[in-house]
Amino acid sequence: MTAAYERLRDRDAVHIWRGRAPDALAPDDTDLLSEEELRMVRRLPDAAAVRYAAAHVAVRRVLGEYLGVPPREVVLGRRPCPRCAHPRHGRPRIDWPPTDLDFNLSRSGPHWLLAVVVGHQVGVDLEDDRSLDVDGASKLVMSALELAHVRARPDATARTHAFFRCWTRKEAVVKAIGVGIITDLSEVDVRPAEDGPVLVTHAEPNSPATWLVQDLPRVDGVFAALAREAAAAGPVEFHRYEELTRPTTEEEPKRGVLVP
């Protein structure tokens, strides 16, 4: 494995990558996508197709940096759902090359967020501050204590922020587990009154029961949260995707952005 992988493993860290989709893809970008991803691109409207493709291309490029293989050689798949064992909506995984690297991707509009870790399960969620019926949505996804916390905020802006803190934390947990939208989110209490990191307990078959959950810094007004196994308590380190992809010259050779 690469020095980037070894540093990630030895520090028991989580690397968070942020990026934003361009207005148009480079001509060879779609060459990196799987047939399944290409079918999705063809079904989506133009702007949504670019955003989807750009994020999935970025995943392969970032993972290739850790795995030491060209991006087009990274093969992605899914684990079976821990609750129903369905192979189509479990957690994402790297099918090739063999590795214990784990990752999770979240997208919202043009923004995307990727978490990478070694030997643990991880989940991230990213949500923009879109127009939303906070009160109505809160009733659907929050526990009684969470709902009381949101309603007690002093104004509409504070209630919106409290809602998205709850929502992103909950989504990060269920994505880390791999059960997704079949979960009753009101049963995943994420303790929004606490700034965090917080310990969240939510058990599913064949999965850890306790998760360390934290809010991530807001960038461009976008809310985000990270969930990882409680045993994985190393540092969270942030990287910008443009650092990986910016052009270099002979006078300034490409420096590995993952290794100091």
Side-chain angles (χ1 to χ4, degrees):
M1 290 295 175
T2 65
Y5 169 91
E6 291 174 356
R7 181 172 181 268
L8 180 66
R9 178 198 61 201
D10 294 346
R11 290 170 60 83
D12 200 22
V14 178
H15 285 179
I16 301 292
W17 289 83
R18 288 183 181 271
R20 183 185 178 102
D23 294 332
L25 295 172
D28 58 347
D29 274 355
T30 54
D31 293 344
L32 304 182
L33 300 178
S34 68
E35 284 300 320
E36 182 178 357
E37 289 167 329
L38 288 172
R39 284 194 292 272
M40 176 63 75
V41 169
R42 297 184 193 106
R43 289 198 296 266
L44 292 171
D46 289 347
V50 169
R51 293 171 177 180
Y52 173 92
H56 286 255
V57 166
V59 168
R60 282 183 167 76
R61 286 189 172 135
V62 171
L63 295 179
E65 286 289 307
Y66 295 95
L67 297 169
V69 300
R72 69 179 69 253
E73 295 184 12
V74 176
V75 179
L76 304 179
R78 286 195 177 273
R79 295 175 174 86
C81 171
R83 185 182 294 185
C84 70
H86 197 288
R88 298 292 296 172
H89 59 249
R91 302 183 67 253
R93 69 182 179 193
I94 300 168
D95 284 343
W96 197 92
T99 182
D100 56 354
L101 201 71
D102 193 76
F103 73 98
N104 197 244
L105 171 71
S106 183
R107 299 186 300 115
S108 184
H111 304 281
W112 59 263
L113 192 69
L114 174 69
V116 185
V117 69
V118 175
H120 301 290
Q121 293 179 207
V122 67
V124 286
D125 189 53
L126 183 71
E127 302 288 343
D128 61 16
D129 189 0
R130 60 188 182 276
S131 177
L132 182 74
D133 176 8
V134 168
D135 186 57
S138 297
K139 293 176 184 176
L140 296 176
V141 301
M142 293 188 185
S143 68
L145 287 176
E146 291 170 338
L147 191 57
H149 171 75
V150 172
R151 288 175 171 173
R153 298 309 89 205
D155 54 45
T157 297
R159 287 191 291 276
T160 297
H161 286 202
F163 171 83
F164 279 108
R165 168 178 276 188
C166 282
W167 179 262
T168 55
R169 287 182 179 184
K170 288 171 183 282
E171 284 289 319
V173 170
V174 298
K175 289 183 69 182
I177 296 171
V179 288
I181 60 174
I182 65 173
T183 303
D184 182 353
L185 291 179
S186 67
E187 297 178 354
V188 186
D189 194 305
V190 293
R191 299 160 61 182
E194 301 178 36
D195 288 338
V198 297
L199 287 176
V200 173
T201 299
H202 183 75
E204 294 283 351
N206 304 310
S207 293
T210 307
W211 303 90
L212 186 65
V213 183
Q214 65 191 85
D215 308 320
L216 299 177
R218 290 184 69 192
V219 176
D220 296 330
V222 177
F223 295 87
L226 164 71
R228 49 183 163 155
E229 295 179 45
V236 178
E237 302 174 0
F238 295 89
H239 299 279
R240 297 191 306 273
Y241 181 59
E242 59 265 27
E243 293 175 344
L244 186 66
T245 58
R246 68 183 178 88
T248 57
T249 66
E250 291 183 4
E251 291 74 22
E252 182 192 14
K254 181 176 178 181
R255 177 178 63 85
V257 298
L258 298 175
V259 181

